[in-house]
Structure formats: C-alpha cells, structure tokens
Amino acid sequence: MFLYACNVTKKVPDGEYLLTKNKFEYTDGKVFSDEIPDLVAQKPNKKTLFVLPLGLIFYNRANPKYDTILKEYMTYPKEMRNQKLRDSLFVKYGHKEYLGRNLFWNRFFHTVGQPPVIYSDAKTKQSAKSINNRLINRGYWDAVVDNVVKKDSAAKKAEVSYVITHKDPTFIKDYFYNIPDANVRNVYERDIKKSLVKKGQILDETVLEKEITRINDLMKDEGYYKFNNDNQDIYFVADSLQSRKNVPVTLNIIKDSINTPYRRATIGKITVSVADKVNDVDKLPLKDSLRGIAIKRKDSAYKLQSLWLPIILKTGTLYQQSNLDLTRRNILSMNNFTILKASDELRKEGTPAERDSIVDVEYVLKPLPKYEFSVATDVHYSQILNFGFSPSVDLTTRNVFGGAENLVTSFSGIIGTTKDPKKDDAFFNAYELSAQTSLQFPRLLVPFKNYWKLVPKRYSPTTSLTLGASVQNNIGLGRINFNTGLSYFANVEDGRIQHRLTLFNTQVSLTQNKDKYYDFFPGDDDIRNKIFKQYALINPALINSDAAYDEISSVILQDAAFISQMLSNDPQTLYTFLQSLYNKDRQTQDVIISSLIYNYTYNEMGKKEYKNPLFFSGKVEVAGNVLNILSGKEREDGVVSGNSKTIFKIPFSQFVKFDFDFRKYFSFFNDKAKPHTLAFRQLLGIGIPYGNSSSMPFIRSYFNGGSYDIRAWVAFGGLGPADSQLDEKVRSYAMDNIKLTTSVEYRLPLNNTFEAAIFTDAGNIWGLKDSGFGDQFKFKKFISQMGVGSGFGLRINIAYVNLRLDMAYKIHDPNRPEGERWVIDKIKPLQPTVNFAIGYPF
C-alpha cells in the first residue's frame, strides 16, 4: 500500500491528473450496465487481482530520464535493438554520460509496465456522448447522460462519474413489411415466424441489424447470390410523427432498379487445383475432370476421388451459401491442405443472363507437409492420481495411400503419485505407457462404391481405424490393455446432428499380480483379514496354507455352515466381505470386450439461432454376441462371478448398455453483455449383463463422485450403491449397473474473466438385482436413496481455457443410518469438497 501511494503519480505531469476510477450511476435502473463501461474511451490503469495497478507501478520504476529514449527505442525492429542503437539515442538526447549502459531493468519495467492514464476532458465528453448514442441505438431515445469529474490537485488524481438516466424506451407499435418482388416476399413469409423483429418489442437497432443479417443469410441460401451486396436493399423505417414512444416500423426490401429483378443463381464451373502458389495454377500439367468438377494437379500424389469427395457443390444446382461454407469446412477437416484461394463469382463471359445468374467456383489448395511431429505434456491432479504428468509424442503422416488418409501415431505416458498405504511419502509410484495408432479416412471405408447416394457428401462422412496397447502399474497392481476398432462418423444439418457407428470395438484387459489388490485397497484387506481370522477357528490349516487369497475365499463361500453362522451372528460383516469380493473381481478381472456401438448426438450449443440450446447424447452398446459363437471352454472368472466361456483362455463380456445425457440451457438478462445461464443436466445409464456375464466389466461399470459428477463426493468417495450401510472403506470402491444423476447450475458472469456459479447435484448407482446388501433399484425407494450435494464455484476464463474451482457440501447422504441422512446441520463451511477442473461440468 505504501508503494501504491508513493508511486502511482510519479510520472503524471504537473497540472495533469491520473484517472483512478470511472463510476456509473443509474438513476432509473441498471439497463445495459454490462455494456456501458466498455463504451468509455478512457479507463484507469488495470489493477492486478482488483488490488494494485502493477503495470503502472512497473512503468514508474523505469528512470523518468529514459522515458523519451525508451519510447523511441521500442519503435525500432527487434533485430535493431542493441547497444549501438542505445548509444546513438543517448547522444541524440544529450545523455553521453550513459554511453555503454544497457538499461536492462529500465527497459524491462518500461516494456511490461503500463503508462499512467491521464484524465482528458475531451475524451470524457466523448464517452458520455458514446453512452448516450448507444442508449438511443438500443431504443432509449430520450436518455440523458451527464458526467461529474472529481479532481484532487494535491494527489494529482481524478475520478469520473457518469450519471445515466434511461427514461422510458420506444416500443414497436405495429410491424409491416414492403417487399415488391413476389419471389423474395414468398421466401420471407415462409420463415416469418423466425423474424427477430416483433410487435411490442423495444425498438432496438441492434435487433434490426441482426434481422438484416438473418434475411441476407436466408436469401443467399435460396440462390440470391447478389442479394443486398451493396447493403442498401434492406432498410427499416420508423414513423415517429405521431408518437416517440409507440411507433410503427416497416421493413423494406427494394432493389434500386425495378427493371432488373432479383435473380436466382446456379452453380457453374467448379475447379479444384492443387498447387504451391495461386500463380502456378495455369502451369499445372495434369488436367482432369470427375463428375463435373475440373481438377488440376502438379502430380498424381492425390487421387481424383479424394479431391472430388469434399466438394458439396454440383454444376447446375441452385447456389446456396451454406454449401460453399460446408465445402470449405470439409477441405480443412481433411488436414491435408491449406486453402490459398476460395472464390465464387458471377461468370464474366456469355449472355447477360448467364453473367447475372451463373456462379463459377474455384479452389486452390496447397498440400501440407507430409509429416508433422509434435511433443506435449499435461499435468494432472485428481483424487486417485494425486499428482502426475503426461508426456506425449505424436507423428502425423498425411496422404498415406493417395486418398488424403492420415496416419496418426502417438506414444504417451502418465507418471504420477498415488496413495500407497505402506509408504506415506511415496512419489511417482504409478505409471502408464501407451502406444496408439489411428488411420483416418475422409470417406466411408465400405465394400461398395457410390456410397454417397446413401450417405450424401454433405454429411462429411469419415472412417477411423485404431489400434493401441498400454501397460499400467499402480503399486504393483498392473494391467496390460490392447484395443482396436473401426468407426464411421457423419455430420447432419451442419453438425447439429452427429452419428457415430463403431462396427467393432475390441478391448483386451489383463491384470497382473492380482493378490497385490489388497495392498492397494486396505479397507478390503481389513475385512478379508477379519473373515479369515474367524474362519481360522474352523479350518486353521487352510488359512495358514500357501493357497491364494481367492482360493481361500472360494472355500469360505462354499462352506454353508459358516455362512449360515455369519448370517445369524454378524450379517453386516459378511455382506461387506461379499462387496469386497465383488470389488476385487471387477477391478482385477481379465476380460475381452468386443462390442458394436452406436452414438447419436443432437447439439444446439453454439448455434446462434438457439437462445436456449438443447443437447442430447444417446449411446447403445452391445457386446459379446459374436464371441459367444466362437467361444471355447469355461473357466473361473473371479470368486463371486462364477465360470465364464473364454476366447484364448480369456473370459469375454456379454452385455447391452444404454447411456443417455440430456442437457438444457436457459439464458437470462440477454440485454447484458454476458447473460446469466441456468444449466440443467439429466444423466441415465443402464448396463445389462447376460449370457456369459453375471456383472458388468470394470471399465463399463458406473461409479459416483468427482468434478464432473456429484461434486460433494470425490470420485470413489463413499456414495452408493443405493443406501447400502456397508463399511465405507469397502463401499467406496463399489461399482454398479444403473446410474442416475441430476444437476442444476446457475452461472453468473462477474466480468470478462471471472464467473460465479451455484449448483446442486443429486444421484446414485444401483444394481439390477439385489447383490445381498440392498443395492437393487426400486421405483418406490430410489428418490430417498439419492445423494444430494450443493455448493458454489468460481470460473476463470483465460484465452480459450476455462479453469474451474467448485466447493461442494453434502446435503443428503443415503449411506448414513436412517434418521441421520439429512446432514445440512453438520456442514462445516471451511471444509468443503474441493474440485479443480478444466471446462464446465456440463
């Protein structure tokens, strides 16, 4: 604070004032209060974390004698900034005593700092005028904006207050349209319900401008290529002769010359050239044509078909701007070319009608380098992996077979620290190494030609073939994974609808050192020891033998007398032991999953025509049916899972799985620069094992908690299954077949960088059938078995990254005894469940 008080006006000239604050006073409501501050021409020096203007303090740290020298020095190109240039400036400005000095710290402070913002009376008046003009533009024709300046001559500081009075806005009394061209009028009337201008609205010019843009896009997608090219064909007239508060508004779409009516255009010549420079197009030796598209190449590195496929346009069809946009996106998505030229223009030769109605299109594409190499690393933090980093190396090989196919080969690893019950100070004790290769085709890889007649090119269909392997180790409990798959992908309606069909997705997971499980999960080990000690009273020889833990557990479960005794004397311990065995079977199983997967996505987010967007994702997965036909002998697949058929002596899973994710977003205060948002999410998942499987495999099962789920519980944090009363240390790692999660979040922007949120999450996991400890889903009980948590969060938007910090508290804990499940009175405000993540939770 002392630095701040002594330093900020150091370089403010005498008779001038440092602008320290802009205040905004609203006499009749904060209308457009988010927009108005941005209209001010002069803003005070920025304060770091809302506290100190560090930029100004740094700037003032530079010696005032050097200000003029440094300002001129920084105008020179970087390569010229050296000691010789500094010495010449010292001589120029009469400071020969500084010859040879590099001024490093002065240059540093001058560069990273921010000069003081000197109050300007002219800019203040201009700012008030700009605010007033914006309010008039937004429909407040009688608004008044005054400014009051408070100057402190001793401190050389000034504050400006803008006093804003909106008064009553002007409304649209009636809305009419005047469109003499019958064809244009018919197009407008067909979509008139989508008009942004309506009777009874405030007469907001920004809305009128958006309506003009909407009409332009509509007409250009109906073939009117030259529509409103000079921005003079569409205009609104407001009749304010009778009233300034309720005025009729008329839309006019009138061409300058009545003798040359609007004409629909069609696509003419389509030319695609592959060249390094635009000027090389006429020199290209290979000139071909495929289905009406002229293709020029310098060589045959790219097949004709690969250059024809992304072009949505077709000669003779109606001109539509959306098809040109989609063609451009298709070319870029191939990741094989940069677009040197993308032109569409009316034909320059032929009859007058042809010159006015035929659009010729040309694309000049420059191939990207054959190989692209990239290195990256990520830093991780989660409840499971306490700390870790992930180095990765990617190599992209383009145009592998001449059809713009890309081969992406990745090598990556995760090296991290996880909790070791035996070593509290363990560091970097977990790792995963993986290799993945993906061959991407910008077309459907199918055994029949002309597939585009069934799946049109405008759907941008692609194919991906993947193959990968990984080795994982967690405190000795390791896993080896192999995966391969073939997927087809298609976009519909400009990406609003997406289809993905994974024809086969095969994963092989092999667990190493299965008995190490009890080192990693001490809660399960405690209950195992407790049961083993009790059974040692009956069969000490078995407990003291060299038999594996699984073998001993199997013998215990088959001892009907012992089980009956436990059910009578201590059923809770027995049920907890069974849950621990379910946990171990699932998390250490060897399994093959070979499935057919279909994903459907409907997404209105990011589409400007949807103010309250909807998102839906549905997924259906069917696994194991083909392998069931090819299966071999049965073998034991875990202690409580029973025997399973195998392929190459590895059990395979059979199940059908449904996942549904529904999200709805409602925006409020849309007149503000950043509206508020109410976000709602409903998640439903059901996995149904059958045939060769008695339970869902570990990597397809559901669990609770974490930054993107029910945030009051950490991942595997003790919520569920259902309202089970088992020991939390064992129950925490339980997984099940049904998941239901509901989340509501209200997002409140604070400024361009910070956003606050309040939220409530509710949900749980259940089984399709009772596993013996009350986890079965029942319609009469599931509401009371929901875990509920609420909290608040802060989001920081930096460039394109959204950093999220959420703090949540348990409200209803179904795994506590009845009568103690509402835990609002037990909340400790300073001990929330903290979630740090990147991106919104939904």
Side-chain angles (χ1 to χ4, degrees), residues 209-404:
E209 291 167 1
K210 290 178 182 178
E211 176 66 2
I212 290 175
T213 301
R214 187 191 73 85
I215 295 172
N216 281 337
D217 293 343
L218 173 64
M219 296 303 170
K220 289 194 173 183
D221 224 36
E222 289 289 329
Y224 292 101
Y225 179 78
K226 295 176 64 176
F227 186 84
N228 199 31
N229 276 0
D230 56 3
N231 293 318
Q232 295 182 3
D233 295 0
I234 306 177
Y235 58 93
F236 290 89
V237 175
D239 185 0
S240 58
L241 291 177
Q242 297 182 2
S243 172
R244 286 177 56 83
K245 296 303 178 185
N246 287 281
V247 300
V249 174
T250 301
L251 163 69
N252 293 277
I253 303 180
I254 302 175
K255 200 171 184 182
D256 289 341
S257 175
I258 300 177
N259 296 324
T260 56
Y262 291 108
R263 190 190 300 274
R264 278 188 167 97
T266 56
I267 298 297
K269 297 178 183 177
I270 306 170
T271 306
V272 179
S273 303
V274 179
D276 293 327
K277 299 178 181 178
V278 174
N279 295 335
D280 293 343
V281 169
D282 294 333
K283 304 174 186 177
L284 296 174
L286 298 182
K287 296 179 174 62
D288 300 283
S289 178
L290 181 61
R291 299 181 182 91
I293 298 179
I295 300 175
K296 301 177 183 179
R297 299 168 292 166
K298 62 180 179 180
D299 52 42
S300 56
Y302 286 92
K303 297 176 183 177
L304 292 177
Q305 185 85 346
S306 67
L307 299 172
W308 172 83
L309 276 172
I311 309 301
I312 307 301
L313 311 171
K314 187 177 180 181
T315 300
T317 58
L318 190 69
Y319 161 83
Q320 291 181 290
Q321 183 61 45
S322 59
N323 282 343
L324 273 77
D325 296 339
L326 182 54
T327 295
R328 184 184 183 91
R329 286 197 294 271
N330 281 354
I331 293 172
L332 293 175
S333 67
M334 294 169 71
N335 192 23
N336 269 258
F337 305 102
T338 55
I339 301 177
L340 299 180
K341 180 182 180 181
S343 67
D344 54 273
E345 56 185 7
L346 289 171
R347 182 162 292 180
K348 298 179 180 179
E349 55 197 27
T351 66
E354 289 176 336
R355 294 198 301 270
D356 196 41
S357 63
I358 296 180
V359 178
D360 293 328
V361 182
E362 181 183 9
Y363 296 98
V364 180
L365 313 178
K366 179 181 179 180
L368 292 171
K370 179 74 173 179
Y371 301 101
E372 182 178 308
F373 183 78
S374 63
V375 178
T377 187
D378 294 327
V379 177
H380 303 275
Y381 172 78
S382 69
Q383 288 86 6
I384 303 300
L385 190 68
N386 305 126
F387 173 78
F389 65 95
S390 303
S392 64
V393 177
D394 297 328
L395 175 64
T396 299
T397 306
R398 295 187 173 91
N399 196 32
V400 178
F401 305 120

Side-chain angles (χ1 to χ4, degrees), residues 19 21 38 81 120 126 134 163 280 312 338 345 352 355 379 392-393 441 501 551 562-563 587 593 658 685 760 768 770:
L19 179 64
K21 182 179 288 187
D38 293 332
R81 295 180 210 157
S120 167
Q126 181 58 46
R134 174 59 64 90
V163 183
D280 293 343
I312 307 301
T338 55
E345 56 185 7
R355 294 198 301 270
V379 177
S392 64
V393 177
F441 300 82
L501 175 64
E551 295 176 10
F562 179 76
I563 297 299
Q587 298 190 45
I593 303 174
F658 304 91
T760 296
L768 287 170
D770 196 338

Side-chain angles (χ1 to χ4, degrees), residues 399-462:
N399 196 32
V400 178
F401 305 120
E405 306 89 354
N406 289 342
L407 179 66
V408 180
T409 305
S410 303
F411 299 94
S412 62
I414 300 177
I415 304 172
T417 301
T418 191
K419 185 177 181 180
D420 188 339
K422 296 182 178 180
K423 298 179 181 179
D424 291 336
D425 58 348
F427 197 61
F428 291 142
N429 57 348
Y431 67 83
E432 180 177 355
L433 305 176
S434 64
Q436 187 86 11
T437 183
S438 174
L439 186 56
Q440 300 163 0
F441 300 82
R443 60 186 182 275
L444 292 185
L445 196 65
V446 290
F448 53 87
K449 297 181 179 180
N450 302 335
Y451 67 81
W452 52 84
K453 294 181 179 179
L454 178 64
V455 182
K457 292 197 295 178
R458 66 177 181 273
Y459 290 173
S460 309
T462 59

